[in-house]
Every structure is written in structure tokens, then in C-alpha cells.
Amino acid sequence: MARDSQAALVALNRFGFGARGGASGDFLNAASDPRGFVKAELGRPNGALLEVPGLQSTPALGRAAFDYQFEVQRARDAAAKSAAPPAAGEGASPQSPEAKGQRRNLSLNSIAMEMAPKEPPAKPPENATTAGVETMQPAPPKPSPPRTAELNIIQKTFRTEALARLQRAVIADGGFAERLVVFWSNHFCISAAKGGLAQMWAGSFEREAIRPHVLGRFADMLKAVEQHPAMLFFLDNQQSLGPDSRAGKNRNRGLNENLAREILELHTLGVGGGYSQDDVTALAHIITGWTFAGRLGQLGAPGTFVFNANAHQPGAQRVMGKTYDAEGVAQGEAVLADIARHPSTAKFIAGKFARHFVSDEPPPALVARLADVFTKTDGDLKALALALVDSEEAWKTPLSKIRSPYEFLIAAGRLLAQIPNNPNLYLGGLRTLGQPLWSPSGPNGFADTNAAWLAPEGIKLRLDISTQIASRLAEGVDPRDLLELAAADTASVETRRTIERAESRQQALALLLMSPEFQRR
Amino acid sequence: MSMETSMNCCEDMRSSVTSRRAVLLGGASFAAWAYLPKFARAADGRDPRLVVIILRGALDGLATVAPIGDPEYAGLHGAIALSSGGPNAALPLDNFFSLHPAMPEFSRMYRDKKAAVIHAVATPYRDRSHFDGQDVLESGFAGPGRVQSGWLNRALEGLPKGERVTSALAVGPVTPLVLRGAAPTVGWAPLVVPQASEDTAMRLVELYQHRDAALASALKQGLALDKAAQGDDMKPKPGAGGVAAMRLAARGAARLMGADNGPRIGALAFDGWDTHANEGGPVGRLAQLLGGLDGALAEFETEMGPRWRDTVIVVATEFGRTARINGTQGTDHGTGTVALLAGGAVKGGRVIADWPGLKPANLYQDRDLAPTTDLRAVMKGVLKDQFGLAEKVLAENVFPDSGAVKPMQGLVV
């Protein structure tokens, strides 16, 4: 096949995380067989799994978190006994410790440091000049002490999991499988910002419930997600009791419909997918008892999914016109199996998939074809991905979408051939740009449109971040060569000229990272 | 979703210093986009400001402004119900409604007749999806339509044009939908980021102007930060979490909007109001958030300076929550809720409500506070009185197909 640079850009940027720098030859490889380049990553058995030494299972992490929280509580109780009564309002905010520890300026600077690990450790950056600005509290910024020593087990775990994910994304061949992981992980998102167990399990949730099924069946992913302790915790289902269940009667507590609603609205049928409030309530009843075992393991091994029959609303329930009368956990599993193959689900998933990979307004024929593939293959997600790659539309539609902050930072790391060995820097950058890792502000995940990521403040911050990266990494690289690696002859005359005429390597690299060729996918 | 999830956008905020950027912006791109509210030079020197604060996640209106006088309320809201005395004591507003005790500043403004409550209010949306609810609330359309512009932006477009350069202010790294659209906005987020040099920025603007109009527009607007928002006191208070973040965002926004040539219109969004579990009564999760909101209102009052007297702040949310508490001491997605008004230009000291009552038969679908007031009537009333927007413009452009919803009269002094 003749070299096709435009198709190479699609293969690398639309379906992947961009070309790697160094001697990867990514652009040439992609140009010689664009579709083959993209599909290669789907052909590897278990290619989407992330099995890295040091990453533990959800139950193991759960036990560690339970023990830690137990110790903290015990220490608190002991302190309370020996001291005066605690101040009112204290402790009511389980703020994410990760968030608390991060300072934007430090983390941004650190991105660049991370990407240039040989640099001597820099002192925390001073604020940009304050000349001419009224200083209301002129105290100098406190130097940030090294924080590694203070991290608790939950924070450490989050960083370990984040690092594994970031490293995989930076070294992956093209990145299509990783992009699919990110897509599905965002579709079935939890938020680590809920703190505690959500932060502890954010990584293991993705490894266990998302990755094994990214090239498998939607129904299997759905079941794995809704029965994962992280999701049950995130959407409060472990607290939900059937009003007529034994526990519900005894404890004077009851239903919480949070998870049931999001299953129907966000995970499967989509809003407008034909469900009613009664369906939400019925499904909430059906999945009462879906919980996970706690520290003492009374219901099962700590940190595992368990069905608590005592909490389950007894009796038959009607969802989407069908009656489910099975007992126990099978009742909910039957509903999930049915809604996974509902036509509304096919339509919803196909539209979201095409919108993510192709265009904010994807060609309707493409969406219809993807929905058809989803239905005919009973939700085979590999078939769905292949259908997208095999479509003409995916290769003909202009590269109009702006990279998300995650895609942007990973693409920069790849081009500059910097494998992260400390996640904080990326985590800080993502937070600054409004896409904190595994921490969307709601269960609908991060937005996926240009309207969200083309915001003025966001673009300006990208420029600042690009400048920071460039100030650390431009020595020893020629931005003109990097432009060849990233875009080759698809680079516009203006971009080429802007980079060539820059007054320094640093400026040239910042401009390359901000160029339309690098920002669009 | 959880309550604590979402202050991340504002976590660990510190000042950034960007005075040079105001120059870059003011001279070039925005001169063509000059808007001048027609009251700005009226004889009385009135120069109106409007701030819209979106509470994402659906605020529990019955917990915020509790109808203690309704005999059904205490039973429905159970252990978290506020009362006129005892451990759950609320701040009385009138002989029927009381305010959550976490809002002493709002209470003071109310007594000073600079704050008002509209109760049993809702957008036209009657389902219970946050995301569609927010789409309706912010787009200003009667239903969720995936529109990519917001009513506040279209209101800006409707303002009479003049020579004074101004535009609307979007606080945070992502512009809220309510302010997205054709009229220009400037973004500001209280963060510290070492800045790119002006020369680099200019070169990039030049490149974008040749190659990518959308990026050019976003970057030019993003560069338009104003040093007025900056100051070293923008450092976060350790441990204060989202509450401090709300105050800091408000403080920066207020400094920008309080300037003589500052933006007339601004929007902020605070996340985290989805209190499905352990909502809490006089203390707890909701109380903490309401305290943050209360502090943010106080920041506006302080930092707007003389412009506070011309200011209206509207606090709105996508819908309310169930009237009954759920099985986990929280509330699920409901319908009717409250809107709050604060500011020197508010004709306050009133709870405005066509109270539907909380008897089971009076609840919406036997579960939610029944809405009796259309939130658009409130917004229209404010826009009409603050900026003189014509009813026709409001009914056709700002809130399309809303002719039947009349602007609420007399909200502004």
C-alpha cells in the first residue's frame, strides 16, 4: 500500500494516543498500512489486560483499606476519650487525600520534571511575577515539603495504579486498546473523589471490570461493573435495603435508587431509552442486597461482591414490561442481561462510541451501522471496534475533535519519549485541565465534546503546561524533527513556519505541542 | 454519585498573575464585541451585574428552606428535618419557612431585604436525570435538546451594543453550558500555573488564526484574564476542602466583576449536591456545602465593592429531591426545589411561593415537592429588570418558546 500520511494521522491520533518519538517509526508504519496498524493491538490475546507486579486484587486492596480505616478510627476514638470533645463540624468532609496533597503549581512544574527525570530536583517554582499586582497578603509561598513519607495506604495505592495506567498508555504501540479502555472506563465511571474505598479501588475496578471485557461482550462488562464493589460503593448500593426485607424492617432503613437509575440512564438504555420512574424503583428493589463484604467478612471474604439476602426486597418485580420473579442475585442478573441487548442500548452505545472516536456529530449512517453490529453480534465489543475501523467514515471525516487533557498529556509524553516513573505530575496536570484521573464530577463521566475541551481557560492552561514541559525538555531535541515524527507531510506550512521561526527550542516545542496537528484528533 | 466528588475543579487554588493578558485581549478581538447595558450610564449611575450560580447535583430545597409550618414536613424529612427549636433548629425567615442554620450570611441579607427565596420552583423538566435536567436549566430550552448554547449567553447577545468593552465571565476550567454560545466570554480559574510568555502566546494566536478558527477564538478568550482577580490571598486554607474552594472562586469572580469595566454577567458552577445518602440535618454533608455557598455569597458582597448595590445573584439547581428521605438517610432525585436571590439590587426579605402543600396527594407523583413556579419566570424577571431585556427577546431568543411564562415582577429594587 502506498504511503498515506493523512490516514497515518487518523490511525495514530483518532484511534491512538499519537506517534511515539525516538526511533519508533510509528508514523511510517501507520502510513504503510493504516487499518492494519490500528487493528494490530486488538489481535493480541489479553492485550487489554494490565498485569503489573505490585497491583493487587480488589479484595486484597479492600482488606488493606478496611484495616487502615479501622486503625484510624481506633486512634480517633482513643484520642477522643482522652481529650476534650471534638470541635463541631470536624471530620465531616472526607476530602480526597490525593486532592488535598496536590498543589497545582508544584504538580505542573513536576510534569516537566517527570518527563525529564535526569534533571536535578528543582525547588518549588515561585509564583509568576507579582509585579504590578496588589498583594493583599504578601507572605511568601511556603516551600512544599516532600510528601512521599506522609502517604497512607489509600494514597499510595492510587498512585501505584495511576502510574501503571500512565506507563501503559505512553509505551503502547498505537494505543487503540488503551483508548478503548479509557472510553469504557469513562462510560462506566466511578469517581475516586468520593474518597476512601473509591480511591482505593479506582484502579482495580478498571483492571477487573473493564479491561477483561473491552474486546469481549457488553453484557459481561455490564455485569462485572454493576457487581464490582467499587461501583456498589460509588453509587451507594451497599447501603440500599429492600423496604420489606428482613434488614429493612429491622433497621428502619430502606431503598436508595442511585445505582438503579444510573444503570438505566447512563450505562445501558440512555435517557429517553424508554424507562420510567417505576422501572427505576423496580430495578432498585431488584438489586437490593448487591453489596460487598466488609472487614469482618460476615457475608463472605472481605472486599468481595456478595449478595445479602437479608437486605433483598422479596418478590417479583416488573422492569421494562417484563416480570422478574427469580430469587436472589439471579433476578438482577436477568434484568442486566435483558437490558444489555435492548435496542435502546445498542443505539445509545453506538452513538456514544462514534461521537468519541469520529466526530461530535457523527455520520448517522455510521451510527446506524454500529448499532446494527452491536445488535447482530449480541454486544461483541471487538466487533464494534472493528466495524468502526473498517468504516469509510472514520477515515474520511476531518480530524475535528480536540484531544482531551488525558489524551494530550499522554501524547506529549509519547512524542518526547518519556516513560513516567512518578504519577503525581500527570495527576496534577489532569486536575489543572479539568480532567482529574478517575475522578469525574458525576456518574456520567467526563464530557467528550469540543464544547467541553475547547473552553478558553482550558486552552490557555494547555499553553502554560506546554510551556512548562518545553522549558524542561527542549534541550537535546529538535522540534522540527519531532514535527516530522508527529505529523510528517500533513503538517501545514504555517505550523512548520511557526516552529522554524520560534526564537528558542523551548518556544518551538511549546508551539508544536499546541499546534492544531497535535491538539486535534 | 457522592457529594464530595466534585470540588476538584477548584481544589488547591492559588493566584495566577496575568495582567499582560488583559492588554492582549482588550485591544484586539473584543473591540468588535462591545456590549453596553443600557442602564450603565443612566442618571443614577446604575451599572447592573448578574451572577448565576449553578448547584449541580440537585439541591434539596426542602432542607435548605424548610417549610416548618407545613404539618407534613417533619414526618417526610424524618431525622434530618429542621425545626424551630431543639438540636435541629433553623433560622426563621417568616412564620412558615425557616432557613438552614448553615446559612447565617444569607439570613442576614434576608433580614436586610437583600435576599429572597423562591420556593416550589422548577424548570419545565419533569424527569429525573441530572444531565438532562442541567441541560434544560442551562440551555434555557423547554426540553433537553443537546443545544450547545446557554440562556445567559443568549441574554448577553440580546443586550444593546455600545462602545464599552465587556463580556461575560466563566469561572472554572470548563465554561458552564449556561454561558456557552456566540457572545464572548472570558474564562478565569483560580489556579496557579506558571505562564507562557506573551511572545509565545502571540505566535500561537497567529498560527491559529491561519489554521484553526475555533482554537484561535478559545485561546484569545482564555488569554483575557484580568489582574483584578488576582491576589496572594487566593491560597487555599488547608483542610477546608470544597467550602474554601467555593469562597475562593467567588472572591476572584467578584473582584473581576466589581471593576468598573468588569464583566456585567458571570456564571459559576458548584458541584456535589447529589445527597443520596447521609445528607445530614443541621450539620453534615449538605450543611457543609450550604456553608460554602453562604460564604461565597458573602465574598461577593465584600469584594464587589460599590457594585454590590447593583448586583443580583441567582442560585439555581436542576431539580429538587424526594420529599421523603430514602432508606439511607438521604434523598433521591425529585422535582420542586428552591431558587435563591441575593444582592444589593434584590427586593428581598420575602419567600415567594405558591405553596402546594406536602400532603401525599399534593406531592408530584406522590414523591416530590410539586413545582408551582417556573424557574424561567424568575430568570426572565431578573433579566428584564436588571438589563431591560424585552419580553419578546426573552420569550423567543433567551428562553425559546416561553411566551406563556411571564417574567416575575418586582424581584429587583
Side-chain angles (χ1 to χ4, degrees):
Chain A
M1 198 177 182
R3 173 173 152 147
D4 183 341
S5 297
Q6 197 59 41
L9 218 53
V10 172
L12 287 162
N13 292 5
R14 170 159 291 157
F15 290 112
F17 279 118
R20 292 169 298 184
S24 70
D26 281 348
F27 201 94
L28 288 176
N29 291 336
S32 66
D33 176 13
R35 281 194 169 88
F37 183 86
V38 173
K39 288 181 186 175
E41 283 176 301
L42 306 192
R44 285 180 206 144
N46 299 326
L49 297 185
L50 186 57
E51 287 164 337
V52 173
L55 300 185
Q56 296 178 280
S57 70
T58 289
L61 294 173
R63 284 194 298 276
F66 297 147
D67 288 347
Y68 168 73
Q69 290 170 334
F70 182 70
E71 286 306 318
V72 168
Q73 190 56 49
R74 221 168 49 169
R76 198 177 290 158
D77 291 349
K81 259 184 215 158
S82 62
E90 200 71 49
S93 166
Q95 180 196 14
S96 156
E98 186 72 24
K100 199 168 161 181
Q102 274 184 358
R103 304 181 61 171
R104 285 173 187 273
N105 58 344
L106 177 66
S107 50
L108 277 173
N109 193 50
S110 306
I111 282 188
M113 285 170 61
E114 166 63 15
M115 289 181 167
K118 291 191 186 79
E119 287 282 327
K123 61 175 186 167
E126 301 298 326
N127 275 353
T129 171
T130 52
V133 173
E134 189 184 355
T135 307
M136 305 195 66
Q137 286 179 12
K142 263 193 302 186
S144 305
R147 296 179 300 114
T148 321
E150 310 160 8
L151 296 182
N152 65 40
I153 182 69
I154 295 174
Q155 295 164 314
K156 273 189 212 154
T157 299
F158 186 87
R159 280 164 35 118
T160 303
E161 296 277 357
L163 182 61
R165 203 227 227 192
L166 292 162
Q167 287 180 335
R168 166 66 67 87
V170 170
I171 65 177
D173 282 352
F176 188 34
E178 285 303 297
R179 286 280 307 280
L180 290 169
V181 169
V182 173
F183 172 82
W184 287 111
S185 185
N186 193 54
H187 177 78
F188 287 116
C189 69
I190 65 159
S191 179
K194 183 152 179 159
L197 292 171
Q199 192 180 10
M200 190 73 172
W201 283 334
S204 66
F205 169 73
E206 184 176 279
R207 287 187 288 112
E208 295 169 358
I210 304 293
R211 288 182 179 271
H213 309 292
V214 152
L215 299 173
R217 308 187 79 75
F218 179 78
D220 295 336
M221 192 190 289
L222 180 66
K223 182 178 156 194
V225 162
E226 312 304 356
Q227 293 187 339
H228 196 281
M231 182 63 80
L232 296 167
F233 175 76
F234 175 51
L235 291 178
D236 306 316
N237 207 66
Q238 92 283 11
Q239 301 186 41
S240 184
L241 302 181
D244 304 318
S245 68
R246 210 174 322 159
K249 284 179 178 164
N250 290 344
R251 297 177 60 187
N252 196 25
R253 283 177 42 199
L255 201 65
N256 184 316
E257 64 186 34
N258 205 5
L259 178 60
R261 176 176 301 281
E262 305 310 8
I263 288 175
L264 297 176
E265 179 186 332
L266 298 173
H267 297 170
T268 60
L269 304 171
V271 69
Y275 63 90
S276 66
Q277 177 62 42
D278 289 343
D279 294 318
V280 172
T281 307
L283 180 56
H285 280 143
I286 286 172
I287 59 174
T288 45
W290 289 34
T291 185
F292 54 88
R295 188 178 75 89
L296 300 175
Q298 285 156 335
L299 293 165
T304 59
F305 170 73
V306 288
F307 178 74
N308 179 3
N310 272 338
H312 184 67
Q313 175 74 4
Q317 298 285 341
R318 201 165 168 80
V319 178
M320 300 294 287
K322 184 171 165 184
T323 300
Y324 295 87
D325 50 14
E327 289 299 316
V329 74
Q331 191 181 24
E333 289 176 345
V335 180
L336 292 186
D338 283 345
I339 59 175
R341 56 168 57 97
H342 192 282
S344 293
T345 301
K347 221 168 104 185
F348 180 52
I349 297 296
K352 195 166 170 180
F353 202 67
R355 205 153 47 243
H356 174 80
F357 280 102
V358 178
S359 161
D360 282 4
E361 287 172 29
L366 173 64
V367 176
R369 206 166 336 115
L370 293 178
D372 200 40
V373 167
F374 187 95
T375 302
K376 285 195 173 133
T377 62
D378 200 16
D380 182 332
L381 299 182
K382 186 173 177 181
L384 185 74
L386 288 172
L388 183 70
V389 178
D390 283 329
S391 75
E392 283 307 303
E393 292 97 328
W395 300 86
K396 294 266 156 61
T397 309
L399 294 167
S400 63
K401 293 198 67 145
I402 193 92
R403 275 181 167 145
S404 72
Y406 184 78
E407 292 158 2
F408 162 57
L409 291 178
I410 294 295
R414 287 167 66 87
L415 184 64
L416 292 161
Q418 300 291 332
I419 301 170
N421 58 21
N422 175 345
N424 281 5
L425 324 165
Y426 283 86
L427 296 178
L430 290 170
R431 204 171 280 287
T432 300
L433 293 176
Q435 196 183 26
L437 185 67
W438 289 319
S439 306
S441 65
N444 56 336
F446 292 109
D448 200 18
T449 56
N450 282 345
W453 300 130
L454 255 170
E457 182 68 10
I459 296 300
K460 186 201 71 85
L461 286 168
R462 279 189 203 211
L463 170 59
D464 295 335
I465 285 177
S466 296
T467 300
Q468 291 303 304
I469 294 172
S471 72
R472 291 273 170 187
L473 292 179
E475 291 308 324
V477 303
D478 187 329
R480 290 168 299 188
D481 294 345
L482 290 181
L483 180 62
E484 288 307 309
L485 292 174
D489 52 324
T490 65
S492 73
V493 175
E494 289 85 353
T495 295
R496 211 172 276 284
R497 194 181 296 147
T498 301
I499 289 168
E500 282 164 2
R501 290 181 181 174
E503 67 178 10
S504 64
R505 278 175 198 276
Q506 281 80 3
Q507 190 179 58
L509 180 54
L511 290 167
L512 165 59
L513 297 178
M514 289 307 291
S515 66
E517 289 86 343
F518 200 78
Q519 290 294 332
R520 299 277 187 182
R521 65 166 180 83
Chain B
M1 72 179 274
S2 88
M3 293 253 312
E4 294 88 356
T5 49
S6 358
M7 295 313 299
N8 299 314
C9 67
C10 309
E11 210 70 63
D12 290 73
M13 303 180 297
R14 302 183 65 187
S15 63
S16 55
V17 177
T18 53
S19 52
R20 61 197 164 71
R21 296 209 148 131
V23 177
L24 193 144
L25 173 89
S29 61
F30 279 29
W33 281 103
Y35 290 81
L36 180 66
K38 70 176 181 185
F39 292 158
R41 293 190 177 176
D44 61 358
R46 188 177 143 77
D47 190 356
R49 299 289 195 273
L50 171 62
V51 180
V52 174
I53 299 179
I54 306 280
L55 306 183
R56 292 188 204 283
L59 169 70
D60 186 346
L62 291 172
T64 307
V65 179
I68 287 177
D70 190 309
E72 305 290 326
Y73 165 72
L76 288 168
H77 247 49
I80 66 172
L82 300 174
S83 51
S84 49
N88 283 13
L91 308 168
L93 294 177
D94 58 24
N95 55 18
F96 191 84
F97 293 105
S98 288
L99 181 68
H100 195 286
M103 301 194 74
E105 302 282 358
F106 187 84
S107 168
R108 175 182 53 74
M109 293 177 197
Y110 183 95
R111 284 196 310 273
D112 293 346
K113 304 206 184 306
K114 301 297 181 205
V117 176
I118 297 95
H119 218 317
V121 71
T123 71
Y125 181 67
R126 287 293 172 274
D127 291 317
R128 301 187 180 95
S129 155
H130 286 307
F131 317 111
D132 276 358
Q134 287 166 15
D135 191 55
V136 171
L137 169 66
E138 297 186 59
S139 74
F141 281 68
R146 316 280 175 227
V147 186
Q148 284 300 331
S149 74
W151 60 263
L152 197 54
N153 188 286
R154 293 193 303 274
L156 196 67
E157 281 190 288
L159 294 182
K161 295 178 177 47
E163 72 274 22
R164 196 186 300 194
V165 174
T166 183
S167 60
L169 175 71
V171 178
V174 178
T175 305
L177 174 61
V178 71
L179 248 186
R180 287 186 211 153
T185 59
V186 292
W188 174 77
L191 328 167
V192 148
V193 179
Q195 304 270 321
S197 78
E198 184 171 345
D199 180 55
T200 306
M202 298 289 265
R203 287 169 194 249
L204 191 59
V205 167
E206 173 82 12
L207 169 60
Y208 284 170
Q209 275 172 339
H210 283 102
R211 298 299 311 177
D212 198 317
L215 273 168
S217 157
L219 179 60
K220 279 191 282 186
Q221 291 172 35
L223 291 168
L225 299 186
D226 189 333
K227 69 176 178 182
Q230 313 304 330
D232 267 359
D233 60 340
M234 297 301 287
K235 287 172 198 151
K237 315 276 183 295
V243 172
M246 282 188 241
R247 290 193 78 119
L248 290 170
R251 191 181 309 164
R255 285 185 192 168
L256 287 164
M257 296 187 66
D260 280 347
N261 59 352
R264 298 322 192 262
I265 286 176
L268 298 80
F270 296 144
D271 297 346
W273 304 82
D274 195 17
T275 49
H276 274 287
N278 305 318
E279 179 173 315
V283 295
R285 299 166 64 179
L286 179 62
Q288 201 164 41
L289 286 165
L290 288 172
L293 174 64
D294 200 48
L297 297 175
E299 292 287 346
F300 272 104
E301 181 185 33
T302 307
E303 300 290 338
M304 292 285 286
R307 291 277 75 81
W308 176 249
R309 73 186 162 95
D310 301 334
T311 296
V312 174
I313 300 177
V314 183
V315 182
T317 187
E318 68 262 26
F319 44 71
R321 312 198 66 81
T322 46
R324 288 178 197 89
I325 57 171
N326 67 13
T328 57
Q329 296 295 310
T331 46
D332 288 313
H333 301 186
T335 307
T337 185
V338 292
L340 307 178
L341 301 182
V346 172
K347 200 166 165 187
R350 303 176 291 161
V351 178
I352 301 164
D354 176 6
W355 190 246
L358 293 175
K359 288 196 171 64
N362 296 337
L363 294 177
Y364 179 73
Q365 294 184 347
D366 188 31
R367 61 180 261 155
D368 310 334
L369 173 62
T372 52
T373 296
D374 192 318
L375 184 62
R376 292 173 298 177
V378 180
M379 305 302 195
K380 284 172 137 186
V382 170
L383 287 170
K384 181 165 177 269
D385 288 355
Q386 273 293 75
F387 297 116
L389 280 170
E391 271 194 52
K392 189 170 148 62
V393 172
L394 290 167
E396 292 173 7
N397 303 346
V398 179
F399 295 98
D401 299 321
S402 68
V405 182
K406 296 296 167 205
M408 193 176 271
Q409 301 290 328
L411 293 174
V412 174
V413 172

